[in-house]
Amino acid sequence: MEDDHMKATAKFLALALSLSVATNGYACTEDGREGIVEENNMYISADAKNVGGVTEEQFNAVIDKVEAIYAPVIQQQGATLQVVRNWTDGTVNAYASRSGNTWTVQMFGGLARHETITEDGLALVVCHEIGHHIGGAPKKAGGGWWGGGASWASNEGQSDYFANLKCLRRAFLNDNNTEVLARMEIPVAVRTACGAAWADKADSDICIRGAMAGMSVAKLFQALRNATVLPDFTTPDAAVVSRTNDAHPAYQCRLDTYFQGSLCGVDEAVEVSNTDEKAGTCHQSTMTAGVRPVCWFKPTL
């Protein structure tokens, strides 16, 4: 009887493990029910009238640009980056997932067509989803099929931070950023902070552009939560977590994260680590500027 029980247990474990290997989970949540934003009922079809956002041509151009940078990076890690372009799908979200050595990013036309989304905001979303794959620590907890251990996926705040700290800098590096910024209305607080953080104007322009991409996406979060208070660079989230929050931070907290990622002076070529939260980042143990906000991040000092 005991042998039968042990055999049954072994079969169950083997089946569960095979399912885990086959699917490898999703992010922004492991069950795939949430993406860069929480589950929502908004749907913006491809033939919707009087919508803002970006065009199909811009949608593809933005993805092309980021994919060209990071497909080789992920290939060096023994995997293949697959960006699925669901332009006709009105879903207002984006996801990352893994199946074996195929690391996938799902982008949807509904999110791209939302009135808050700019081309740079869309680039940030692509970068955030890539950040789940290679954004480093901290990782989401409970990644195994048994509910324990750590996930392959960088958590929400870290993916946000990686987007501005590394990915957007690389995406914007060879652009005429002064010309791009000339078409934007830049808050004084952003110009001042980026000018103080970066002595070189080219770096400062990239910082500003990344911050404004963050504002685009933060306004999306605000709109989907039906909140009346606008995100603002001058009113950082005052919350202090007692432990790192793996889930979606408040939208002001997320704007703070994008802004701090833009301000961090660590070079984009310095890699982050899957286990060391300090590697390749600005960290509270040695710095005060450009650090991950404590409204979601509990640093190890």
Side-chain angles (χ1 to χ4, degrees):
M1 193 70 165
E2 185 175 346
D3 286 345
D4 290 342
H5 176 73
M6 291 177 66
K7 288 177 181 178
T9 301
K11 287 180 179 179
F12 170 79
L13 293 176
L15 175 61
L17 182 58
S18 68
L19 290 173
S20 174
V21 171
T23 61
N24 279 291
Y26 291 80
C28 297
T29 55
E30 291 297 301
D31 56 16
R33 289 187 302 218
E34 294 182 1
I36 190 171
V37 298
E38 296 94 341
E39 185 177 9
N40 64 85
N41 296 322
M42 183 172 285
Y43 191 92
I44 307 174
S45 64
D47 59 357
K49 306 298 182 184
N50 300 318
V51 297
V54 304
T55 66
E56 183 176 6
E57 181 180 6
Q58 292 168 330
F59 177 79
N60 286 313
V62 167
I63 294 172
D64 284 345
K65 187 177 187 178
V66 180
E67 187 175 19
I69 295 168
Y70 279 99
V73 173
I74 288 175
Q75 188 174 35
Q76 289 174 357
Q77 299 189 27
T80 299
L81 174 63
Q82 175 180 263
V83 182
V84 182
R85 307 174 188 213
N86 305 290
W87 172 255
T88 60
D89 191 319
T91 300
V92 182
N93 225 322
Y95 302 88
S97 63
R98 288 187 180 184
S99 180
N101 290 329
T102 300
W103 296 1
T104 300
V105 168
Q106 296 273 357
M107 297 295 298
F108 296 91
L111 183 145
R113 286 186 286 275
H114 195 277
E115 63 182 358
T116 61
I117 294 299
T118 63
E119 289 178 77
D120 288 352
L122 183 68
L124 190 155
V125 173
V126 182
C127 285
H128 169 97
E129 298 307 331
I130 290 174
H132 278 302
H133 290 297
I134 60 171
K139 300 281 189 174
K140 286 178 176 284
W145 60 265
W146 59 90
S151 166
W152 56 265
S154 298
N155 72 10
E156 297 304 318
Q158 182 65 18
S159 299
D160 284 342
Y161 189 61
F162 171 86
N164 286 59
L165 177 71
K166 307 295 183 185
C167 184
L168 286 183
R169 289 188 196 174
R170 297 186 66 178
F172 297 159
L173 190 60
N174 296 315
D175 292 349
N176 186 337
N177 292 299
T178 300
E179 182 179 289
V180 173
L181 294 181
R183 300 191 293 268
M184 298 182 188
E185 185 175 339
I186 311 298
V188 172
V190 174
R191 286 195 182 277
T192 300
C194 286
W198 297 97
D200 184 84
K201 186 179 184 301
D203 291 329
S204 178
D205 283 350
I206 291 174
C207 172
I208 294 169
R209 192 173 167 190
M212 297 308 295
M215 178 58 81
S216 165
V217 179
K219 285 182 175 178
L220 170 68
F221 302 147
Q222 177 218 345
L224 291 176
R225 292 186 180 187
N226 295 312
T228 57
V229 179
L230 288 169
D232 193 312
F233 291 107
T234 64
T235 58
D237 195 315
V240 178
V241 294
S242 58
R243 63 179 181 179
T244 294
N245 173 21
D246 287 340
H248 298 97
Y251 62 86
Q252 177 63 52
C253 182
R254 299 187 79 169
L255 176 63
D256 300 342
T257 304
Y258 300 136
F259 196 19
Q260 292 303 312
S262 294
L263 293 172
C264 176
V266 175
D267 192 276
E268 67 275 2
V270 180
E271 294 184 359
V272 294
S273 165
N274 285 327
T275 56
D276 182 0
E277 68 184 31
K278 300 177 184 179
T281 73
C282 289
H283 193 270
Q284 283 90 337
S285 59
T286 56
M287 305 177 189
T288 56
V291 299
R292 284 157 285 194
V294 294
C295 51
W296 72 267
F297 179 60
K298 177 68 173 178
T300 302
L301 300 176

